[in-house]
Amino acid sequence: MTKPLEVLLLDDEPIVGRRLKPALDKIGCRVEVFQNPKEAVARIEQKEFDIVVTDIRMEEMDGIQVLEYVQKTWPRTKVIMITGYAKVDLAREAMGKGVFDFIAKPFKPDDLRRIIFRAAEALGSPIDSSLLNDEPVAQ
Amino acid sequence: MSIFIISSDAREIEESIAEKVTEAMGYKLLDRGILAEVAAKYQIEPDKLNEALKTTPSLFNKLSSRQWRHHLACLEAEVLETLMADNIVCQGLAAHLYVTGVSHAMKVRVLSGNRKGIQGVAEKKGISLQKAEKWRASELLHRKKWSLAAYNYDETDLTRYDLVINLDQIDPVEAVKTITGAAEYRKFQVMTYSLKCLSDLALAAKVNGVLLQSMADVKVQARDGSVVVLTKASNRQKRKKIETIKALAGGVEGVTYVEVHVKKNILGEMD
């Protein structure tokens, strides 16, 4: 049996974690959900996740800072950014800093799963793509 | 990096640089060769489509304002659809004016330069430098007016581009190297967000093209299959116009929901 993909999901809106965790569990990811970026960063310090999915706009610490922290601590980890305030400049800034992908809210869980599939492939641990099927939009 | 949109203040420079970048990158070239295909697909006279890219509606030309907008919307829809594929260099189709907010599309402006640009015009047309300078100034003013009328976007505003190269200072060979080198920038890599922006623009253009076949005064925005149409109508026409728009826009492939916002047309009330 292949090792499950370790995913940290950070968004200060609780509903995002509630919606996305089951969607990622279904494709065999082991997901830890955080709403507080400082607590997420403390966890990242303890554990190397394969993938970090983070919101950008948050109190105390923004997603770009989380990205920089992950890159410094675990360079192999893929970071995916999700935001409700997507703009071309922000997307380019995130991409320039080495984010794996960038997606605007609202999106369907399958949109995120597609990115997770690509990230898993890039990490050398591909997931079975037949597990994709569209579900309602995550706000 | 997957899309380069190359434009210039001189058509021949735009074509030549775009061809060289296409060759160097091994990308596909999207240029005016697409016009015949667009004309056939949307049943537009090829001459009129060509005309729409050059002129603005006036009492003296063949196109009404609605036809002009319709032809441009059809072209826009086709170009945006084609750009959904990766690795393309686009030139000559005004894409620098309507591909907006797409982070993996690099907009490059190549300036022919004062000295070289005027010299080039003088040689090509066999006229004096003084006359060439006047001709060029009027051509630039015409393009500025066209871009503002068509897309409310001043194409001579250089702050709108990602990369600007002045051929008075940089040789064409170096310009091509600079452009192809920029393909390495991570900032311009394809991402899920930018692809979605592009597909939203393509859907909006498709709906716009369909609506402009029978009505003027429409503005269309799309997101994830949901379409918002802004229009004008008198109180008397309002209900019928909303129904028509919903039926037409709803029939476009990819549209899942249509919302129509109507602004009161005071002139219409006086009919």
Side-chain angles (χ1 to χ4, degrees), chain A residues 124-138:
Chain A
S125 332
I127 311 172
D128 177 9
S129 63
S130 67
L131 296 164
L132 281 173
N133 65 315
D134 279 326
E135 281 172 36
V137 173

Side-chain angles (χ1 to χ4, degrees), chain A residues 13-137:
Chain A
E13 293 174 61
I15 191 163
V16 175
R18 278 204 302 273
R19 287 261 178 97
L20 293 178
K21 187 180 183 308
L24 299 184
D25 285 343
K26 267 190 197 170
I27 55 167
C29 296
R30 195 145 59 200
V31 186
E32 292 186 32
V33 177
F34 291 84
Q35 281 140 41
N36 181 317
K38 289 205 165 160
E39 285 173 18
V41 162
R43 183 66 179 133
I44 290 164
E45 198 172 337
Q46 293 167 351
K47 178 177 170 179
E48 181 182 12
F49 287 88
D50 296 304
I51 296 169
V52 169
V53 180
T54 177
D55 189 12
I56 296 187
R57 268 206 198 178
M58 293 174 291
E59 297 284 323
E60 295 181 73
M61 198 174 188
D62 67 28
I64 298 283
Q65 289 171 295
V66 174
L67 166 72
E68 286 167 347
Y69 187 81
V70 172
Q71 287 177 327
K72 197 174 69 188
T73 319
W74 306 108
R76 180 186 155 277
T77 302
K78 303 288 178 206
V79 178
I80 297 162
M81 289 201 163
I82 55 177
T83 181
Y85 302 92
K87 286 272 174 224
V88 65
D89 292 349
L90 184 60
R92 281 183 177 163
E93 185 191 352
M95 222 49 193
K97 284 184 186 287
V99 76
F100 181 76
D101 205 345
F102 183 100
I103 184 167
K105 290 192 245 177
F107 56 83
K108 293 175 188 161
D110 250 5
D111 294 336
L112 180 61
R113 283 198 288 230
R114 278 193 189 94
I115 301 172
I116 298 273
F117 279 129
R118 284 196 291 106
E121 253 180 38
L123 287 164
S125 332
I127 311 172
D128 177 9
S129 63
S130 67
L131 296 164
L132 281 173
N133 65 315
D134 279 326
E135 281 172 36
V137 173

Side-chain angles (χ1 to χ4, degrees), chain B:
Chain B
M1 176 77 219
S2 81
I3 302 172
F4 285 107
I5 297 172
I6 298 177
S7 67
S8 172
D9 50 0
R11 278 286 303 135
E12 57 280 7
I13 285 171
E14 189 170 307
E15 284 168 6
S16 134
I17 297 282
E19 273 169 25
K20 284 174 184 144
V21 171
T22 307
E23 200 182 309
M25 296 296 297
Y27 282 11
K28 183 186 166 197
L29 179 65
L30 179 60
D31 61 9
R32 293 196 178 181
I34 198 182
L35 294 183
E37 201 182 304
V38 176
K41 183 172 173 181
Y42 295 91
Q43 295 170 327
I44 302 169
E45 285 176 42
D47 284 354
K48 287 192 173 175
L49 186 56
N50 231 326
E51 182 82 8
L53 275 171
K54 290 180 194 156
T55 60
T56 47
S58 75
L59 290 173
F60 309 105
N61 70 21
K62 304 171 204 163
L63 294 170
S64 70
S65 175
R66 186 190 56 73
Q67 281 176 319
W68 180 65
R69 294 211 171 274
H70 168 258
H71 296 359
L72 290 179
C74 294
L75 175 63
E76 192 182 326
E78 203 58 25
V79 169
L80 289 163
E81 193 71 40
T82 311
L83 291 179
M84 291 295 293
D86 267 352
N87 302 340
I88 293 183
V89 176
C90 181
Q91 69 87 8
L93 299 165
H96 57 297
L97 304 173
Y98 50 79
V99 180
T100 52
V102 177
S103 62
H104 68 279
M106 182 183 279
K107 291 188 197 177
V108 182
R109 185 74 168 174
V110 184
L111 304 174
S112 57
N114 276 329
R115 188 169 44 83
K116 285 188 180 164
I118 294 164
Q119 259 172 14
V121 172
E123 280 164 25
K124 195 179 162 195
K125 295 193 166 288
I127 54 177
S128 69
L129 285 175
Q130 207 181 7
K131 279 187 178 168
E133 193 173 354
K134 271 189 184 169
W135 183 89
R136 193 165 165 268
S138 100
E139 188 62 18
L140 284 179
L141 186 64
H142 170 74
R143 290 302 308 165
K144 179 178 175 163
K145 280 183 183 168
W146 185 90
S147 62
L148 281 166
Y151 296 100
N152 198 23
Y153 185 141
D154 176 4
E155 73 165 21
T156 62
D157 176 2
L158 298 180
T159 61
R160 301 272 196 156
Y161 298 91
D162 300 305
L163 179 63
V164 178
I165 297 174
N166 181 355
L167 293 186
D168 258 349
Q169 308 302 328
I170 313 279
D171 291 336
V173 174
E174 290 302 322
V176 172
K177 278 190 198 162
T178 306
I179 297 167
T180 53
E184 300 292 317
Y185 289 165
R186 266 202 65 90
K187 281 187 174 197
F188 294 88
Q189 299 300 310
V190 182
M191 63 184 92
T192 301
Y193 165 68
S194 60
L195 276 175
K196 213 169 81 49
C197 291
L198 194 54
S199 79
D200 287 344
L201 286 176
L203 185 61
K206 253 198 256 178
V207 172
N208 201 18
V210 168
L211 296 177
L212 285 167
Q213 271 180 322
S214 55
M215 59 184 79
D217 269 343
V218 282
K219 277 188 185 161
V220 184
Q221 291 170 334
R223 187 172 176 165
D224 271 333
S226 295
V227 169
V228 177
V229 181
L230 311 172
T231 188
K232 286 181 185 168
S234 63
N235 279 343
R236 214 173 30 184
Q237 302 163 325
K238 190 175 168 182
R239 200 165 153 190
K240 195 178 171 201
K241 196 159 187 185
I242 291 174
E243 279 170 12
T244 310
I245 289 174
K246 285 197 170 183
L248 289 171
V252 174
E253 193 188 339
V255 174
T256 52
Y257 173 76
V258 183
E259 197 173 296
V260 184
H261 294 205
V262 183
K263 230 173 142 182
K264 196 170 171 182
N265 185 352
I266 302 162
L267 290 174
E269 289 294 322
M270 297 189 297
D271 287 347

